[in-house]
Amino acid sequence: MEKKLEQLKETLATLADLGGAVGVLGWDQQTCMPPMAAEARGQQMGTLGRLAHDIATSAELGKLLEELKVHAADLDPDSDDARMIKFAVRDFEQATRIPGDFVVEQAQVIALASQAWSEAKEKSDFAHFQPHLEKIVDLTHRLIGFFPPAEHPYDTLLDFYEPEMKTAEVKSIFNTLRTQQVELIRKIGTKPQVDDSFLHQPFDEKKQWDFGVEVVTKYGYDWQRGRQDKAPHPFTSSFSINDVRITTRINPEFLNTMLFGTMHEAGHALYDLGHAPELERTNLNTGASQAVHESQSRMWENLVGRSLPFWRYFYPRLQEYFPQLTKVGLVDFYRGINKSQPSLIRVEADESTYNLHIMLRLELEIAIIEGKVQVKDLPQAWNQKMEEYLGVTPPDDARGVLQDVHWSWGYFGYFSTYALGNLISAQLWEQIIKDIPDLEDQFSLGRFDSLLAWLRKNIHCHGRKYLPQELVQKVTGSKIDPAAYMRYLNKKYTQIYDL
Amino acid sequence: MEKKLEQLKETLATLADLGGAVGVLGWDQQTCMPPMAAEARGQQMGTLGRLAHDIATSAELGKLLEELKVHAADLDPDSDDARMIKFAVRDFEQATRIPGDFVVEQAQVIALASQAWSEAKEKSDFAHFQPHLEKIVDLTHRLIGFFPPAEHPYDTLLDFYEPEMKTAEVKSIFNTLRTQQVELIRKIGTKPQVDDSFLHQPFDEKKQWDFGVEVVTKYGYDWQRGRQDKAPHPFTSSFSINDVRITTRINPEFLNTMLFGTMHEAGHALYDLGHAPELERTNLNTGASQAVHESQSRMWENLVGRSLPFWRYFYPRLQEYFPQLTKVGLVDFYRGINKSQPSLIRVEADESTYNLHIMLRLELEIAIIEGKVQVKDLPQAWNQKMEEYLGVTPPDDARGVLQDVHWSWGYFGYFSTYALGNLISAQLWEQIIKDIPDLEDQFSLGRFDSLLAWLRKNIHCHGRKYLPQELVQKVTGSKIDPAAYMRYLNKKYTQIYDL
């Protein structure tokens, strides 16, 4: 048993190393790589991916896991070893269901589709992307077909990003949320709008960068184990527990882009930097799920970074960087960065409207999988729902159905994790406030270490040891639930808009 | 046959992709990586190296090559396919001779030794490095033992860096060179020294960077297929024919470091950027040997970059960047950057003395392999030879036997390629001047495209298709020979020092 477990750990270490290497190649591709190197980079990443797939689906590993599964019954089910085996079995079963030829075909379709999406978005020309998206939908149907029939075919897709989450659960959560969030927006709409014009003016790029660095340093981001670079679409990349890198982008005429983008990515990074060192080079050295990951990024971006206590400390610093803000008071600044306004673009949406962008995508994805909407009809369906939920209509597809890259990557099943992440962040927050009653006072003094310590202990250190629902239940006493988030939103916006 | 050749090409492509990936990880390690990520990076590179070794030594590949060898007799021996098979056989035979356990042990010894070397150099404490170097020498003896006995045991080591080059050949070349170069230095020593004090003054780092970029852009370095970063020990890295990156370092008080370092690395990069596109993802998409590679870097650094015609064009530009040079005339500048002076440090040596640093190292390496010098006696042996060849004695081991990293990496057999590269560069140059009689006039006008085109056609495009001696013979009509280099040195220094 001991020897077999060692064998498994060696295989997992090899896979972790390959994953880390692919991560470095991907990071380099988006931050450093010369333009003409794209094709070779694709080949290199493809080769590493193929080698990893061969190892992850090998008969040898399958046999090893069969043997370990039996012995695992004797282990403490919450021990690292038991969880390692559990998830190794899960990953093996998932990977072996997908034929190698399909993986290759999918990679080729995606390479062309993401290129076509980029061109289509540039020209706001959905027709250019349509045939590619049709192929991706076809692939997605075939992918579902490799798995045993689920309660709903979309369950199979969700499971890739949010293990064991069911379509029915997400729909039920979103149904509650939708009514309440639409009602909140309606109420806000009856009130005078706040002024955020001071956020739209020239802000020196170097100073923006430096302020962002100051914030995430205070958050506890460890520069000995990370770095920040610029990227057109910011992301966080983890290559090992000691190498978790963030990226940001800077809009020289709008402060929010750098500000909340940097905090968001730092939130992801703090999670990956906080996994227990024992999990390094295992299959557990990663987040519990996309939603749990997003709960961390959204917490540091919104519950911390868009809060009044945070700005009590940081606003004077920001004003030193940008003296043009001297004439804007703290509370006006706080209201400005929290302005609620239905808008076209998901990534620019405020907290009161963000989840509606997600619901729209989830509903369209389910409709496509159920065959109730055809790809060609997506632009119209998109615009209808935008009107229905947010009262705005995209003037073109670039600002409508073409705005997100996800579908071109074949990421059907992903979007809802963004909204679930918001919900989890508020559920955790209610628990944190109970455990650290003076948390907001600490923020006002520029202290975030108690928060980080709490997250490390309750969330980060576990890595992927628990399923997302299991983790949320363990920490908050209930499963993912929209109530806490709605309490948070209602309280915040009642105060800001005097509802 | 066709099918088997395709199979070989697939394997070579996999190995090329793995090599490219390791290259990116190594580049990142030296330019971007956060300090605490070193251990994980070592593991990642080790895992990729092991996977590559497994493929490169697999019985399957061996069988394939056995079959292809037979059929290769029907191919044009100069065709890409024939050469690909020839070198695949060579690499397979070399790789399979070295046991996997040895490779792992070697990697571990080197990891510790290079760390110890770094500390020892810092404190100028040879005793701290000595036990590690003894282990490396022991490993080197064992490495030689895996191969059939050669004329001289050092031949086996040379063969790793300079395929099929023999110790006797190198010794014979160096014997001729030593006498003549020592005599040249003696003659220079009787003449008044040139003034290079103007090179030692503050030079703005950003301007230095920009000037270097301007030079290598004129050389033809393609920024669509490369980039430049800073590194403490500059190097060039090639990940594919469309991704060849250079690095440089800047001394804010001495111009030469950036100037000739940047040109040197660009010379390496132009070689790798010039391989025929058909060779991409094969075993031929690399230089013919270390010496041939060095001939390219030294050519662009010295025969071009330290020439008067080059500076006729570039000196006015340099003076615009650095107005403090306005009072230094062109010829005085040219004499200053070519100052001949026996010195302690190889990488800072001028052209008239550089090769003597190499000969000293070669002789010590051979003496160690022959058992005539013990590791513990190296500092003394080093200092004696420095006195004998260059008339200077290192005041400490940091500036003596500990100055170079190579031995700590186990690179026994490498050093002579630096001097051989110098010789080849001058041999090629005599041929180039014949083929492009107005070459120097072109340089005076800032035109380097004819030179690059000549190198592309005669050297770069072939990649590794020819053995180094074969290539030099093919292009210049003779094997590697010191005469051209001595003609070059004598002419240049006679003019500068009025000998």
Side-chain angles (χ1 to χ4, degrees):
Chain A
M1 168 70 169
E2 213 35 60
K3 207 185 140 202
K4 295 209 181 298
L5 195 57
E6 277 315 305
Q7 261 180 282
L8 175 64
K9 286 180 184 176
E10 270 175 40
T11 304
L12 295 177
T14 297
L15 290 170
D17 288 342
L18 277 167
V22 170
V24 175
L25 297 191
W27 173 87
D28 178 79
Q29 187 174 39
Q30 292 183 68
T31 55
C32 298
M33 194 182 78
M36 285 183 61
E39 189 186 341
R41 182 53 50 87
Q43 288 160 340
Q44 289 155 354
M45 291 173 77
T47 291
L48 294 196
R50 182 170 53 74
L51 292 171
H53 184 79
D54 289 350
I55 296 167
T57 59
S58 71
E60 199 188 341
L61 177 60
K63 189 162 164 285
L64 185 64
L65 289 171
E66 279 307 316
E67 293 163 345
L68 281 168
K69 253 197 304 197
V70 178
H71 293 285
D74 305 333
L75 296 171
D76 168 4
D78 275 3
S79 67
D80 289 354
D81 287 349
R83 293 283 167 161
M84 203 178 296
I85 295 168
K86 174 188 161 96
F87 282 101
V89 169
R90 184 186 141 86
D91 292 346
F92 181 80
E93 285 172 357
Q94 196 172 63
T96 48
R97 285 190 173 276
I98 308 172
D101 289 351
F102 178 85
V103 174
V104 172
E105 183 186 345
Q106 192 184 34
Q108 287 161 348
V109 170
I110 286 170
L112 296 176
S114 54
Q115 176 69 26
W117 167 78
S118 175
E119 293 155 3
K121 187 183 174 186
E122 180 77 26
K123 297 178 291 178
S124 194
D125 176 8
F126 182 77
H128 181 63
F129 181 47
Q130 188 186 315
H132 297 275
L133 186 53
E134 281 163 352
K135 276 187 198 151
I136 290 210
V137 169
D138 174 56
L139 281 169
T140 306
H141 280 297
R142 283 163 57 200
L143 179 66
I144 293 170
F146 298 136
F147 289 82
E151 198 182 305
H152 190 289
Y154 193 80
D155 287 355
T156 303
L157 303 177
L158 266 180
D159 194 58
F160 285 104
Y161 307 102
E162 216 45 41
E164 303 200 5
M165 180 68 74
K166 304 293 171 215
T167 310
E169 277 179 284
V170 179
K171 277 170 107 169
S172 153
I173 291 167
F174 282 11
N175 281 341
T176 310
L177 198 61
R178 187 187 308 101
T179 324
Q180 297 185 27
Q181 231 170 319
V182 167
E183 172 59 13
L184 172 65
I185 296 167
R186 195 199 54 74
K187 269 168 39 186
I188 293 171
T190 66
K191 294 287 180 170
Q193 187 50 289
V194 305
D195 174 26
D196 70 343
S197 58
F198 52 85
L199 296 169
H200 297 271
Q201 55 171 315
F203 293 98
D204 178 78
E205 295 197 34
K206 169 78 169 61
K207 287 185 185 172
Q208 287 199 48
W209 175 276
D210 289 346
F211 182 75
V213 165
E214 197 172 315
V215 169
V216 301
T217 304
K218 277 279 181 193
Y219 276 3
Y221 181 70
D222 181 351
W223 299 99
Q224 297 294 303
R225 302 195 287 145
R227 55 180 279 136
Q228 183 176 254
D229 294 84
K230 287 189 197 172
H233 302 281
F235 62 97
T236 296
S237 243
S238 170
F239 317 136
S240 82
I241 200 174
N242 288 319
D243 197 348
V244 182
R245 305 184 189 180
I246 55 177
T247 57
T248 193
R249 68 177 156 185
I250 297 176
N251 181 336
E253 309 237 313
F254 184 42
L255 203 53
N256 291 22
T257 308
M258 180 290 298
L259 213 47
F260 300 108
T262 304
M263 295 180 201
H264 182 96
E265 298 309 328
H268 281 301
L270 290 171
Y271 189 9
D272 285 334
L273 286 166
H275 302 324
E278 309 83 90
L279 304 183
E280 175 84 324
R281 297 181 93 212
T282 74
N283 55 345
L284 304 179
N285 184 34
T286 179
S289 72
Q290 295 297 334
V292 176
H293 233 299
E294 195 70 8
S295 78
Q296 300 304 295
S297 55
R298 299 289 280 180
M299 182 183 289
W300 290 98
E301 174 194 355
N302 292 327
L303 289 101
V304 180
R306 277 190 168 93
S307 76
L308 193 54
F310 173 96
W311 288 107
R312 280 194 213 288
Y313 177 79
F314 269 115
Y315 194 51
R317 283 298 291 148
L318 186 70
Q319 288 174 318
E320 285 175 39
Y321 279 95
F322 301 110
Q324 68 261 47
L325 291 175
T326 314
K327 55 185 183 298
V328 181
L330 170 65
V331 172
D332 287 338
F333 179 82
Y334 167 69
R335 287 160 54 103
I337 58 168
N338 283 295
K339 181 179 176 181
S340 162
Q341 186 158 52
S343 61
L344 298 167
I345 309 296
R346 174 182 64 84
V347 297
E348 294 169 5
D350 61 83
E351 290 177 273
S352 70
T353 57
Y354 186 93
N355 287 341
L356 296 173
H357 292 266
I358 299 305
M359 293 173 200
L360 171 158
R361 285 158 177 76
L362 177 75
E363 287 162 26
L364 292 178
E365 286 189 1
I366 292 176
I368 282 175
I369 296 306
E370 289 177 347
K372 291 182 181 157
V373 166
Q374 301 305 308
V375 168
K376 70 173 168 45
D377 301 324
L378 267 177
Q380 201 199 341
W382 182 285
N383 293 353
Q384 270 173 5
K385 282 202 188 284
M386 283 299 286
E387 182 57 47
E388 186 185 337
Y389 293 167
L390 287 155
V392 294
T393 306
D396 51 44
D397 289 336
R399 281 171 284 182
V401 69
L402 287 172
Q403 68 183 262
D404 286 314
V405 70
H406 303 60
W407 290 343
S408 80
W409 286 339
Y411 281 17
F412 274 76
Y414 191 107
F415 277 119
S416 54
T417 68
Y418 290 129
L420 295 173
N422 285 332
L423 307 190
I424 297 169
S425 74
Q427 287 177 271
L428 295 176
W429 199 253
E430 291 192 345
Q431 189 58 46
I432 293 167
I433 293 289
K434 269 186 214 153
D435 292 345
I436 316 174
D438 69 337
L439 189 70
E440 301 206 329
D441 294 339
Q442 295 184 17
F443 291 175
S444 302
L445 298 168
R447 286 192 45 216
F448 304 91
D449 49 331
S450 302
L451 173 60
L452 182 56
W454 191 98
L455 291 171
R456 285 239 164 100
K457 181 175 162 231
N458 291 286
I459 305 287
H460 299 180
C461 73
H462 301 311
R464 186 199 185 193
K465 277 185 70 175
Y466 302 99
L467 289 167
Q469 287 285 31
E470 208 179 358
L471 181 67
V472 174
Q473 174 89 46
K474 178 180 155 77
V475 178
T476 71
S478 72
K479 290 192 158 194
I480 301 175
D481 181 297
Y485 193 63
M486 282 316 304
R487 279 193 290 273
Y488 161 72
L489 281 190
N490 283 325
K491 185 177 164 197
K492 180 168 191 173
Y493 284 100
T494 296
Q495 185 196 37
I496 291 172
Y497 280 91
D498 196 18
L499 301 180
Chain B
M1 167 73 170
E2 213 35 59
K3 208 185 139 202
K4 295 208 180 301
L5 195 58
E6 277 315 305
Q7 260 180 282
L8 175 63
K9 285 179 185 176
E10 270 175 39
T11 304
L12 295 178
T14 297
L15 289 171
D17 288 342
L18 277 167
V22 171
V24 175
L25 297 191
W27 173 86
D28 179 79
Q29 188 175 36
Q30 292 183 66
T31 55
C32 297
M33 194 182 78
M36 283 184 63
E39 189 186 341
R41 181 54 48 88
Q43 288 160 340
Q44 288 155 354
M45 292 174 76
T47 292
L48 294 197
R50 182 170 54 75
L51 292 172
H53 184 79
D54 289 350
I55 295 167
T57 59
S58 71
E60 199 188 343
L61 177 59
K63 190 162 162 286
L64 185 63
L65 289 171
E66 279 307 316
E67 292 163 346
L68 281 168
K69 254 198 302 198
V70 178
H71 293 285
D74 304 333
L75 295 171
D76 168 5
D78 275 2
S79 67
D80 289 354
D81 287 349
R83 293 283 168 163
M84 202 178 296
I85 294 168
K86 175 190 160 97
F87 282 102
V89 169
R90 186 186 138 86
D91 292 346
F92 182 80
E93 285 173 357
Q94 196 172 62
T96 47
R97 285 190 174 276
I98 308 172
D101 289 351
F102 179 86
V103 174
V104 172
E105 184 185 345
Q106 192 183 34
Q108 287 161 348
V109 170
I110 286 170
L112 295 176
S114 55
Q115 176 70 26
W117 166 78
S118 176
E119 294 156 1
K121 187 182 175 187
E122 181 77 25
K123 297 178 291 179
S124 194
D125 175 9
F126 182 77
H128 182 63
F129 181 46
Q130 187 185 316
H132 297 275
L133 186 53
E134 281 163 353
K135 277 188 197 151
I136 290 209
V137 168
D138 174 57
L139 280 170
T140 305
H141 281 296
R142 283 164 57 200
L143 179 65
I144 292 170
F146 298 136
F147 290 82
E151 200 181 304
H152 190 289
Y154 193 79
D155 287 355
T156 303
L157 303 176
L158 266 180
D159 195 58
F160 284 103
Y161 307 102
E162 216 45 40
E164 303 200 4
M165 180 69 74
K166 304 295 172 212
T167 310
E169 278 180 284
V170 180
K171 277 171 110 169
S172 153
I173 291 168
F174 281 10
N175 281 341
T176 310
L177 197 62
R178 187 186 307 101
T179 324
Q180 297 186 29
Q181 231 171 317
V182 168
E183 172 59 14
L184 173 64
I185 296 168
R186 195 199 55 74
K187 272 175 27 192
I188 293 173
T190 67
K191 294 288 180 170
Q193 187 51 288
V194 304
D195 174 27
D196 71 342
S197 58
F198 52 84
L199 295 168
H200 297 272
Q201 55 171 315
F203 293 98
D204 178 78
E205 295 196 36
K206 169 79 170 60
K207 287 185 185 174
Q208 286 199 50
W209 175 276
D210 289 346
F211 183 75
V213 165
E214 196 171 317
V215 169
V216 302
T217 303
K218 277 281 181 192
Y219 276 3
Y221 181 70
D222 182 351
W223 299 98
Q224 296 294 302
R225 303 195 287 145
R227 56 180 279 134
Q228 183 176 256
D229 294 85
K230 287 189 196 171
H233 301 282
F235 63 98
T236 296
S237 242
S238 170
F239 317 136
S240 83
I241 198 173
N242 288 319
D243 197 349
V244 182
R245 306 183 188 181
I246 56 177
T247 56
T248 193
R249 67 176 156 186
I250 297 177
N251 180 336
E253 310 238 312
F254 183 43
L255 203 53
N256 290 23
T257 308
M258 179 290 298
L259 212 48
F260 300 107
T262 303
M263 296 181 200
H264 182 97
E265 299 309 328
H268 281 303
L270 290 170
Y271 188 10
D272 285 335
L273 287 166
H275 303 324
E278 309 84 89
L279 305 183
E280 175 84 324
R281 296 181 93 212
T282 74
N283 55 344
L284 304 179
N285 185 34
T286 179
S289 71
Q290 295 296 333
V292 176
H293 232 299
E294 195 70 8
S295 79
Q296 300 304 295
S297 55
R298 298 289 280 180
M299 182 184 288
W300 289 98
E301 174 193 354
N302 292 327
L303 288 101
V304 180
R306 277 191 169 92
S307 76
L308 194 54
F310 172 96
W311 287 106
R312 279 194 214 288
Y313 177 78
F314 269 114
Y315 194 51
R317 283 297 291 149
L318 186 70
Q319 288 174 319
E320 283 174 41
Y321 279 95
F322 301 109
Q324 67 260 48
L325 291 174
T326 313
K327 55 185 184 296
V328 181
L330 170 64
V331 172
D332 288 337
F333 179 82
Y334 167 69
R335 288 159 55 102
I337 58 169
N338 283 295
K339 180 179 177 182
S340 163
Q341 186 159 51
S343 62
L344 297 168
I345 308 295
R346 174 182 65 84
V347 296
E348 294 169 6
D350 61 83
E351 290 178 272
S352 70
T353 57
Y354 185 92
N355 287 341
L356 296 173
H357 291 267
I358 299 306
M359 293 173 200
L360 170 158
R361 285 158 178 75
L362 177 75
E363 287 161 27
L364 292 178
E365 285 189 1
I366 292 176
I368 282 175
I369 296 305
E370 289 176 346
K372 291 181 182 159
V373 166
Q374 301 306 308
V375 167
K376 70 173 169 45
D377 301 323
L378 268 177
Q380 201 198 342
W382 181 285
N383 293 354
Q384 270 173 6
K385 281 200 189 285
M386 282 300 287
E387 183 57 47
E388 184 185 338
Y389 292 167
L390 287 155
V392 293
T393 306
D396 51 45
D397 289 336
R399 281 171 282 183
V401 68
L402 286 172
Q403 68 183 263
D404 286 313
V405 71
H406 302 60
W407 289 342
S408 80
W409 285 341
Y411 281 17
F412 275 76
Y414 190 106
F415 276 119
S416 54
T417 68
Y418 289 128
L420 296 172
N422 284 332
L423 308 190
I424 297 169
S425 74
Q427 287 177 272
L428 296 176
W429 199 253
E430 291 191 346
Q431 189 59 46
I432 293 166
I433 293 289
K434 271 186 212 153
D435 293 345
I436 315 173
D438 69 336
L439 189 71
E440 301 206 327
D441 294 340
Q442 295 184 17
F443 290 176
S444 301
L445 298 167
R447 287 192 43 216
F448 304 91
D449 48 331
S450 302
L451 173 60
L452 182 57
W454 191 97
L455 291 170
R456 286 239 165 100
K457 182 174 163 233
N458 291 285
I459 305 288
H460 298 179
C461 73
H462 301 310
R464 186 200 185 191
K465 277 184 71 175
Y466 302 99
L467 289 166
Q469 287 284 32
E470 209 181 357
L471 181 66
V472 175
Q473 173 90 44
K474 177 179 155 78
V475 178
T476 70
S478 72
K479 290 192 157 193
I480 301 175
D481 181 297
Y485 193 63
M486 282 315 304
R487 280 193 290 273
Y488 161 72
L489 280 190
N490 283 324
K491 185 177 165 198
K492 181 169 190 172
Y493 283 99
T494 295
Q495 186 197 36
I496 291 173
Y497 280 90
D498 196 18
L499 301 181

